[in-house]
Amino acid sequence: MRIYTGKGVYGAVAIGKIAVFKRKELSVKRFHVEDRNKEKKRVEAAKNVAREELQDIYDKALKEVGEANAQIFEMHMMMLDDVDYNDSICNIIETQAVNAEYAVAVTSDNFSEMFSSMEDAYMKERAADIRDISNRLIRKLQTDKDENTLEMDKVIICADDLAPSETVLLDKDKVLAFVTSHGSSNSHTAILARNMNIPAIIGVGDEFLQEISDGVSAIVDGFTGEIYVEPDEKTSKKLLKKQQKDEEKRKLLQELRGKENITRDGKKINVYANIGSVENIGAVLLNDADGIGLFRSEFLYLESKDYPTEERQFIAYRKVLESMAGKRVIIRTLDIGADKQVDYFGLKKEENPALGCRAIRICLTRPEIFKTQLRALYRASTYGNLGIMFPMITSVREVEEILSMCSEVKAELINEGVEVSDKIELGVMIETPAAAIISDMLAPMVDFFSVGTNDLTQYTLACDRQNPEIEDFMDTHHEAILRLIATAADNAHKHGAWIGICGELAADTSLTERFLRMGIDELSVSPSFVLNVRGAIRDIDLTK
Ligand code: PEP
Ligand code: MG
């Protein structure tokens, strides 16, 4: 047995035989042509066929993975008509009197190299898209009707890398999993794999492809990112069990997919998902959440060695918004401090960090950090339905300062000619007793509240959430907490705001009915709990 490790981009187990993905190598020869116009016309004709193909792929992707993901192919269609790209092809034909295939291949190399050398991670990824459309164009010029050859008999596809169009063309019914030597979890390919629910591992390294061959048995564990080639009996048994357990769980819950989060008496509740990174979107879609109720943006800061730039943040926020295709996405501004320490912030050591300089307190005392994040958020706002919320609020003054900074950032961007949505919702977290008690004063200032029960419990019960010694005192169902939530719900509604819960308690189905009776409008939970909560809501009758 040989074990290879990469990055699991979709958690599930697949057991089967390997098929090495054979890409038909394109060989492009350079030759002299007399009739340059004829070559240019050939390019136009090839583009028309390529465009039709891309339209078919787009339609397939739209059906299988939704509009946001299908947009990649819309982008490919646009790239095909890009003026610079086409000018380059025509110029090469014109100046060198060469065949169209050669002009496309050289243009492809030039453009993909240019994208690869860009700093910006998102632009870097576009190099693969350029190669993908150029190869398609070359195949059409060579009137090669064959797409890349894929063994299609329930197999684990192994490849050096897969282009987005190759990924979407995989027949979901015949592909057990895919494993690639290269690829980044930021790539459209990884996003597609997640959204197509195909167990997938990327970045297993170069040796992998050299050491495997068609027909060899293997097990892919998308949870751990491990692939076992020629697994021994013990490993096979263990992973078969893991697979069966996972499938049973999915099956039971999947029955609730597509159903509404509606009580027996017809009240609609939004069930959203909490995420910590862009990578979690696949799980959000798989579990059919209505939106994202909490994107813990501080993970962007925790993953970095230095402050994430405005551009990096913008890309992350845009990706989440685009992937959710118009569903509400609530991004929480950074909540650093207490248990989430980041060296480069240079925070002073504190006696009681949970009561110290954390979350909004850092943002308001270091406005340059806060402003960078707000600019990224406002810039991303036109890519979806954005809500921004602020953690650790205790006073009206803090909210006034926040709102004034938001207005400043918005005006600044508009001044710079950047488009900003005028539908962004602003909300505050209710996670301190102070915020709940003055929720009548806060509600008129915002569009929504989101209750952070993890901190609300800690601060209300004076119980450090990090301290396992006092767990017995940490009564999450304590009447004081429930009353504070009820107060916030009443005050929100009195002032036309909506209210959700995004702390862990939102997933506690023994409280779902109580929350609904308080008037809670939204529950935001880990993606894997979404369907559980949906089930609980569907059992409740608020008239009884
Ligand atoms: C909370 O406090 O309930 C919450 C959702 O925020 P975090 O757990 O990230 O502090
Ligand atoms: Mg909190």
Side-chain angles (χ1 to χ4, degrees):
M1 175 170 82
R2 302 189 299 286
I3 307 173
Y4 301 86
T5 311
K7 197 164 183 183
V9 293
Y10 178 74
V13 176
I15 303 173
K17 293 216 173 353
I18 282 178
V20 180
F21 180 69
K22 295 177 197 77
R23 187 172 287 116
K24 248 195 165 184
E25 283 307 322
L26 288 169
S27 94
V28 175
K29 292 200 174 70
R30 179 183 198 271
F31 53 86
H32 177 79
V33 295
E34 292 297 331
D35 190 346
R36 296 175 172 97
N37 279 342
K38 188 174 151 207
E39 291 308 298
K40 288 185 205 162
K41 277 189 191 142
R42 285 182 62 226
V43 174
E44 280 312 308
K47 267 171 54 186
N48 289 339
V49 184
R51 207 176 289 112
E52 274 170 28
E53 275 183 8
L54 282 166
Q55 184 64 51
D56 290 346
I57 299 175
Y58 172 84
D59 294 341
K60 182 171 190 284
L62 190 64
K63 249 192 265 148
E64 292 182 359
V65 289
E67 192 181 347
N69 295 294
Q71 277 169 4
I72 306 162
F73 304 105
E74 219 169 32
M75 181 179 81
H76 282 197
M77 286 188 258
M78 274 156 62
M79 276 182 174
L80 261 186
D81 290 321
D82 179 79
V83 177
D84 293 337
Y85 180 78
N86 283 287
D87 280 355
S88 166
I89 296 171
C90 289
N91 283 340
I92 293 170
I93 295 174
E94 195 58 47
T95 55
Q96 301 181 34
V98 286
N99 52 318
E101 294 86 336
Y102 180 78
V104 174
V106 173
T107 300
S108 171
D109 285 349
N110 292 345
F111 276 65
S112 56
E113 226 162 83
M114 177 183 80
F115 280 113
S116 300
S117 61
M118 287 183 179
E119 288 274 298
D120 182 324
Y122 181 82
M123 296 311 280
K124 255 189 206 307
E125 299 286 349
R126 303 292 67 80
D129 295 312
I130 285 284
R131 282 193 299 272
D132 196 10
I133 60 155
S134 302
N135 288 345
R136 177 172 305 281
L137 208 49
I138 293 170
R139 279 199 302 273
K140 297 309 120 198
L141 282 163
Q142 296 177 334
T143 55
D144 181 353
K145 299 263 181 329
D146 287 342
E147 277 296 338
N148 297 315
T149 51
L150 258 186
E151 293 297 330
M152 276 306 193
D153 191 20
K154 281 259 175 197
V155 283
I156 297 168
I157 300 288
C158 298
D160 54 348
D161 201 354
L162 287 167
S165 61
E166 289 168 337
T167 313
V168 84
L169 283 171
L170 297 178
D171 186 338
K172 277 208 292 185
D173 299 331
K174 291 185 180 158
V175 178
L176 287 171
F178 80 70
V179 182
T180 62
S181 307
H182 302 280
S184 87
S185 46
N186 264 344
S187 65
H188 280 132
T189 305
I191 295 170
L192 283 171
R194 267 183 229 120
N195 297 343
M196 289 163 83
N197 304 342
I198 295 178
I201 301 178
I202 56 162
V204 285
D206 281 323
E207 320 81 61
F208 172 68
L209 271 191
Q210 289 153 17
E211 294 169 8
I212 54 158
S213 52
D214 282 345
V216 170
S217 61
I219 304 179
V220 173
D221 185 345
F223 295 102
T224 61
E226 274 157 337
I227 169 159
Y228 303 85
V229 177
E230 298 184 307
D232 58 31
E233 217 183 304
K234 195 169 150 217
T235 308
S236 299
K237 267 194 188 150
K238 193 178 102 192
L239 277 132
L240 183 65
K241 237 190 196 158
K242 188 169 179 179
Q243 186 189 43
Q244 284 166 347
K245 252 190 164 167
D246 178 51
E247 278 173 3
E248 271 164 31
K249 199 175 139 202
R250 279 174 209 265
K251 233 182 247 153
L252 266 179
L253 287 173
Q254 289 303 310
E255 284 167 19
L256 290 171
R257 264 183 71 92
K259 301 221 164 111
E260 278 191 303
N261 303 307
I262 191 166
T263 61
R264 286 184 182 206
D265 52 312
K267 177 150 195 231
K268 166 103 175 80
I269 306 295
N270 289 322
V271 180
Y272 292 168
N274 295 347
I275 60 166
S277 105
V278 179
E279 324 264 290
N280 303 141
I281 299 284
V284 175
L285 299 177
L286 173 69
N287 290 289
D288 198 27
D290 293 342
I292 288 173
L294 166 64
F295 176 11
R296 290 181 161 97
S297 71
E298 59 273 14
F299 284 97
L300 276 172
Y301 294 74
L302 290 161
E303 284 160 11
S304 306
K305 291 200 170 56
D306 203 348
Y307 298 101
T309 59
E310 179 185 317
E311 189 63 18
R312 200 172 146 228
Q313 293 190 55
F314 163 69
I315 290 165
Y317 305 148
R318 179 178 66 184
K319 206 165 256 180
V320 176
L321 285 160
E322 280 182 337
S323 305
M324 293 305 291
K327 288 182 176 173
R328 194 187 258 148
V329 173
I330 295 169
I331 302 181
R332 173 176 76 184
T333 56
L334 69 96
D335 186 9
I336 292 290
D339 54 320
K340 295 175 206 143
Q341 288 294 332
V342 186
D343 284 349
Y344 59 82
F345 270 71
L347 297 174
K348 289 206 185 95
K349 218 172 161 20
E350 295 170 309
E351 278 291 311
N352 293 303
L355 304 180
C357 195
R358 67 170 284 203
I360 204 65
R361 296 174 184 178
I362 297 181
C363 292
L364 294 178
T365 47
R366 297 175 66 177
E368 69 291 353
I369 298 177
F370 194 32
K371 249 183 111 175
T372 304
Q373 180 167 39
L374 289 177
R375 278 183 62 94
L377 285 164
Y378 273 82
R379 276 177 59 199
S381 64
T382 50
Y383 291 86
N385 181 1
L386 174 67
I388 307 175
M389 72 175 170
F390 306 94
M392 265 290 276
I393 297 300
T394 58
S395 72
V396 167
R397 175 189 68 87
E398 288 160 354
V399 183
E400 279 169 355
E401 278 185 38
I402 292 165
L403 297 181
S404 130
M405 280 186 74
C406 287
S407 309
E408 203 182 297
V409 163
K410 188 175 174 185
E412 197 176 277
L413 286 167
I414 291 171
N415 232 352
E416 290 168 22
V418 178
E419 210 189 321
V420 169
S421 164
D422 53 9
K423 293 195 183 69
I424 304 171
E425 288 182 297
L426 299 178
V428 290
M429 289 194 71
I430 302 290
E431 51 182 354
T432 65
I437 293 165
I438 61 159
S439 50
D440 58 325
M441 297 161 87
L442 299 177
M445 306 175 81
V446 294
D447 299 300
F448 68 93
F449 285 158
S450 185
V451 184
T453 50
N454 310 337
D455 278 315
L456 187 61
T457 307
Q458 140 162 291
Y459 295 129
T460 306
L461 304 183
C463 274
D464 179 355
R465 65 193 261 195
Q466 297 295 108
N467 186 350
E469 301 290 313
I470 50 171
E471 230 154 64
D472 283 351
F473 298 92
M474 189 92 171
D475 173 11
T476 55
H477 290 201
H478 196 294
E479 195 53 32
I481 299 160
L482 297 171
R483 286 192 199 174
L484 287 174
I485 301 174
T487 302
D490 283 346
N491 286 326
H493 293 144
K494 259 186 215 147
H495 295 280
W498 60 268
I499 180 167
I501 301 177
C502 65
E504 295 305 301
L505 213 55
D508 184 338
T509 48
S510 69
L511 287 175
T512 310
E513 179 161 354
R514 179 119 186 229
F515 290 149
L516 266 48
R517 289 192 188 280
M518 286 177 193
I520 295 295
D521 304 292
E522 171 246 16
L523 293 164
S524 191
V525 297
S526 292
S528 54
F529 293 139
V530 165
L531 295 175
N532 265 335
V533 173
R534 174 170 300 166
I537 290 170
R538 294 174 65 83
D539 279 344
I540 292 169
D541 185 345
L542 293 169
T543 59
K544 286 193 180 146

